[in-house]
């Protein structure tokens, strides 16, 4: 998995775990909702400053978020038989 995709999935996981919409996260991070959508889809890559803003809004450390991103990047996809 590419880093942008892994970051987007990790961000979406944190947001949905809190039962927040993209609008709620965008308001808390003071960004446009469309920007959150593009990050979650892996189409935009946030700056370091934006990563810290998103983490502050989600009340999670950047290190914890990046650990999840790295885990997702290293995860092996299951084959057609589920192995």
């Amino acid at each position: 998995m590419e880093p942008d995709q892994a970051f987007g999935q990790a961000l979406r996981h944190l947001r949905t775990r809190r039962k927040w919409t993209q609008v709620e996260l965008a308001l808390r991070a003071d960004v446009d909702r469309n920007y959150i959508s593009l990050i979650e889809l892996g189409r935009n890559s946030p700056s370091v400053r934006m990563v810290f803003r998103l983490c502050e809004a989600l009340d999670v450390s950047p290190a914890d978020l990046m650990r999840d991103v790295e885990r997702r990047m290293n995860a092996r996809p299951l084959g057609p038989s589920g192995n």
Side-chain angles (χ1 to χ4, degrees):
M1 177 177 298
E2 293 297 314
D4 292 341
Q5 291 173 309
F7 186 91
Q9 285 184 6
L11 184 66
R12 178 178 286 134
H13 173 76
L14 288 169
R15 176 181 61 77
T16 57
R17 193 170 77 192
R18 286 161 178 75
K19 297 184 169 89
W20 292 354
T21 65
Q22 289 179 344
V23 171
E24 288 171 304
L25 177 55
L27 288 171
R28 292 170 190 264
D30 195 28
V31 297
D32 189 75
R33 189 224 42 99
N34 189 53
Y35 184 60
I36 299 294
S37 175
L38 292 172
I39 292 172
E40 288 186 358
L41 291 170
R43 294 187 184 154
N44 263 4
S45 184
S47 68
V48 172
R49 184 178 304 229
M50 181 54 63
V51 169
F52 275 80
R53 281 173 59 184
L54 291 168
C55 287
E56 184 177 338
L58 290 161
D59 194 30
V60 65
S61 75
D64 287 342
L65 174 58
M66 288 306 176
R67 232 181 322 277
D68 188 24
V69 171
E70 187 173 18
R71 182 188 60 77
R72 290 168 188 276
M73 288 175 59
N74 293 329
R76 291 186 159 187
L78 295 177
S81 64
N83 298 335

